Each structure stands twice: as structure tokens, then as C-alpha cells.
Amino acid sequence: MLTPKENLLETLKKDGKPECLCNSYTMFRGIPGDPVFKYIRGNRVRGTNSYDPWGTYILFPDDAPAAVPLVTPENQVIKDVAEWKKYVKIPDLAAHCSQGWEDAIAARDAIDQDKYLTMTVMGTGIFEQLHMLMTFEDTLTNFLLEPEAMHELIDAICEYRLTYMKLIVEHLHPDCIVSHDDWGSKTSLFFSPETWREFFKEPYRKLYDYLHANHVIVMHHGDSFCEPIVEDMAEIGIDIWQGVLPTNNIQAISEKVGDRMLLMGGIDSVIDRADATEEEIRRETRRACDAYGNLKGFWPGMTYGGPGTIYPQVEEIIIDEINRYNTEHYGAAIF
């Protein structure tokens, strides 16, 4: 029987022979404690409000599942994108994060790497960083009104993110990096495909080329409607699109890119509720497996950008139901 790691690696191969469907994040083990993550997101403490190293105001109420930025016309970092260099102080990751990797290295070395793949998560992608520096409305209109300045700012954020990747790879060399950037809502992109291609395609190709050159699996998290750009996503080197909402036509996407880019998701997050019944959670999980399980490259799981659900019992039931499906259809449940 294959290990969870081996089953995923077989799934990634064009002509691989996995024994069953991959199951959520069960084949990964995260590496906690890296200094960059702590420096960039260490201010996010439940029950507090704070500013991150970029100067963005962050709220983390006691009853919220996660921290969120609050960007208004009054507190936005960039008042005029044509003069963004006047307002933006890019965090110096090399200066702040060159030391303190011992705990993360020890945590990585403690993982059973014969059975599991190691993983780190990089939140706040290029587009997300833009709308954390200025309002969402300003971000979108500036693509039209100030394209030259936006290209410059995106290039600067790309270099910052490349530095982040280099620090992670040089110190930890994880098997996989989960790179976050949401490019759309539940039903549409936030911009035209042409705008995405003009501003984001080549910066992301640069980032993901670096990861591939260092033998790191690229998992791009985007729990969004990205159907119009899936060919581009595969082209720039995304190995796994994590967060595929069922509002995308998953069958059509699989036919286009399923042998080049895995599609992880398909389970509607509406079931992640305190009052969701076990029957409801199993029914939605089974629906996704039945609807997409025979498609090229499909991999069932929640659409969140990391392991876990808001209500922990939900993930436990999802994983168990996928195992039941795998046992029934393939005679194997790997976890």
C-alpha cells in the first residue's frame, strides 16, 4: 500500500498510478515556527487590533475565525498609487528573518518524511497585498487609471515575495509551499482575464519558476472562481490549484488541465457550521466525490487554504467520508 505521500506523488504524475483519491491535507505535515511567518503575522493575536509590518490595520475579534484587514480611505497606506514609494515601506525580510530558524528546522526533522510531505503556508499574495495597502475599490480602479504605477508596485511586491520564498527554501526546503492569492469571488474573477494576464501572470511565473527550480511543489490557494484563467494557471507552473469552489465547472476544467494541474476542493464550505449535522456533512462530501471523483486530477477536500475547519468536527467527518468512498471504490483508504 502506498503512503499518503506516495499516493499524492503518483497523482501528480501524468501517467501515475495512485491507489485512491487524495484526501484533504492528510498527506501533508506543516512546518511550524518559521521566523518569516512570525514576523509578518505575529501581530495577529485573537482579541487584539494591531498594525502589520506593512502598516495595514488588522482586526482579530474574539469571536472571529481569523484576523482580517480593515482598509478605509482614511487609514489606507497608499494615498496616491502614482507616489506609492512615498507611502510604502517594504518589510526587510532578510534583515529581520535571517536568524531563529532552529525551532522550525527541528520541527521539520521530526516529521516522518517517508510517510508525509512537508509543507509551509505563505499567505497574502500579490493581489491581496495590493488591497491591504489601499481600498479594494482603489486597487481595481488603479489597474485602469494608473497601470504603470501598478506594474511597478506589483514588481516590488513580487521581489518581496521571492525573498520570502528564498528564505523558506534555503532554511527549510519544504516539499510544498502553499501560496495564497484569491483572484475572484464565488462566481467571478475580480477583473477581466486580460487584466489578470497583464498584471499577474508573469510575476507569478517568476515566483513559481523559482520554486520548481528548487524542486518544490507549487500549491496555489485561491478559493475563487478562476475558470476563465485555468489554462494560464497551469502554464505558469501551478501544480495544484487548491480551493476549487464547486461554482467552477470542475468537469470542464478537468478536461482542459486535469493532467497538468491537480484540482483540490469541490466540497462546499457551507457545511462548516456549528449546527451542521453529520448527515449533512457526509452528504456534501459524498456529492463531491461522486460528481468529480472520476475526473483527471481531482482531489476532494475543503476549499480552505490550510488544514482544518472552523468547527473541528467538520474536518474529521469529511476525512472519514472520503476514506469510506475510497474503500468502497478503490479498496484502499490512505491516511
Side-chain angles (χ1 to χ4, degrees):
M1 177 177 288
L2 298 177
T3 66
K5 173 180 179 176
E6 291 167 340
N7 198 63
L8 172 57
L9 294 178
E10 286 297 313
T11 306
L12 278 167
K13 296 176 184 176
K14 188 171 183 178
D15 299 313
K17 293 179 172 55
E19 292 183 346
C20 61
L21 296 179
C22 293
N23 186 342
S24 302
Y25 283 93
T26 56
M27 68 296 298
F28 291 109
R29 292 295 182 267
I31 304 172
D34 82 73
V36 187
F37 192 92
K38 289 193 286 187
Y39 172 59
I40 295 300
R41 291 178 170 249
N43 65 296
R44 299 181 177 212
V45 178
R46 186 176 297 280
T48 68
N49 300 334
S50 60
Y51 290 90
D52 73 8
W54 290 81
T56 299
Y57 190 52
I58 304 293
L59 307 180
F60 200 165
D62 282 320
D63 59 351
V68 293
L70 177 65
V71 182
T72 68
E74 292 72 32
N75 76 2
Q76 62 184 339
V77 174
I78 298 176
K79 310 299 184 184
D80 178 359
V81 75
E83 298 186 86
W84 67 268
K85 292 179 183 178
K86 173 181 171 183
Y87 300 103
V88 176
K89 184 176 181 181
I90 299 173
D92 189 343
L93 298 181
H96 286 94
C97 307
S98 60
Q99 304 295 322
W101 290 87
E102 295 81 8
D103 289 347
I105 292 170
R108 179 204 62 194
D109 291 346
I111 295 169
D112 182 350
Q113 295 181 47
D114 291 327
K115 187 174 182 181
Y116 302 108
L117 294 124
T118 58
M119 176 185 77
T120 57
V121 177
M122 289 181 57
T124 314
I126 296 174
F127 175 65
E128 292 168 340
Q129 190 63 69
L130 290 172
H131 66 76
M132 288 179 67
L133 294 172
M134 49 192 154
T135 66
F136 206 85
E137 295 81 2
D138 282 358
T139 301
L140 295 181
T141 56
N142 282 332
F143 289 126
L144 301 174
L145 300 178
E146 296 286 352
E148 183 176 348
M150 290 293 276
H151 275 295
E152 291 177 356
L153 179 55
I154 286 170
D155 286 345
I157 295 171
C158 179
E159 288 303 314
Y160 156 86
R161 217 156 155 76
L162 182 59
T163 298
Y164 189 165
M165 288 179 174
K166 288 180 177 178
L167 285 165
I168 294 294
V169 169
E170 290 167 6
H171 288 92
L172 298 177
H173 210 294
D175 295 307
C176 177
I177 286 181
V178 186
S179 172
H180 284 219
D181 210 7
D182 291 323
W183 296 322
S185 70
K186 188 175 182 179
T187 57
S188 67
L189 288 170
F190 290 132
F191 21 65
S192 71
E194 291 74 23
T195 296
W196 181 86
R197 292 176 185 122
E198 178 184 349
F199 289 93
F200 297 105
K201 185 172 181 177
E202 295 312 312
Y204 269 103
R205 190 197 303 272
K206 179 177 182 178
L207 295 174
Y208 295 160
D209 279 353
Y210 168 78
L211 292 183
H212 283 151
N214 285 276
H215 311 291
V216 177
I217 297 167
V218 176
M219 178 187 284
H220 183 97
H221 165 75
D223 50 350
S224 315
F225 181 85
C226 291
E227 189 174 332
I229 57 171
V230 291
E231 293 275 9
D232 303 274
M233 292 168 67
E235 180 191 328
I236 62 174
I238 295 175
D239 299 305
I240 305 161
W241 171 19
Q242 191 282 321
V244 184
L245 298 175
T247 48
N248 293 274
N249 187 334
I250 295 175
Q251 181 168 357
I253 293 169
S254 169
E255 292 172 358
K256 289 181 180 178
V257 298
D259 58 350
R260 292 178 284 147
M261 180 174 72
L262 300 189
L263 309 173
M264 179 187 176
I267 298 174
D268 197 323
S269 60
V270 70
I271 61 174
D272 192 9
R273 308 188 319 273
D275 63 346
T277 65
E278 179 175 343
E279 180 186 5
E280 181 183 3
I281 297 166
R282 289 189 184 278
R283 183 169 59 247
E284 170 56 20
T285 303
R286 182 60 65 122
R287 179 205 62 78
C289 291
D290 286 339
Y292 318 124
N294 65 332
L295 301 179
K296 290 183 298 183
F298 178 70
W299 167 1
M302 284 291 279
T303 56
Y304 299 159
T309 47
I310 297 171
Y311 300 94
Q313 74 277 11
V314 175
E315 183 183 44
E316 293 171 7
I317 296 168
I318 288 171
I319 290 172
D320 185 66
E321 186 62 26
I322 296 171
N323 282 335
R324 290 187 184 186
Y325 180 90
N326 277 333
T327 300
E328 292 169 15
H329 288 76
Y330 304 104
I334 298 171
F335 52 94

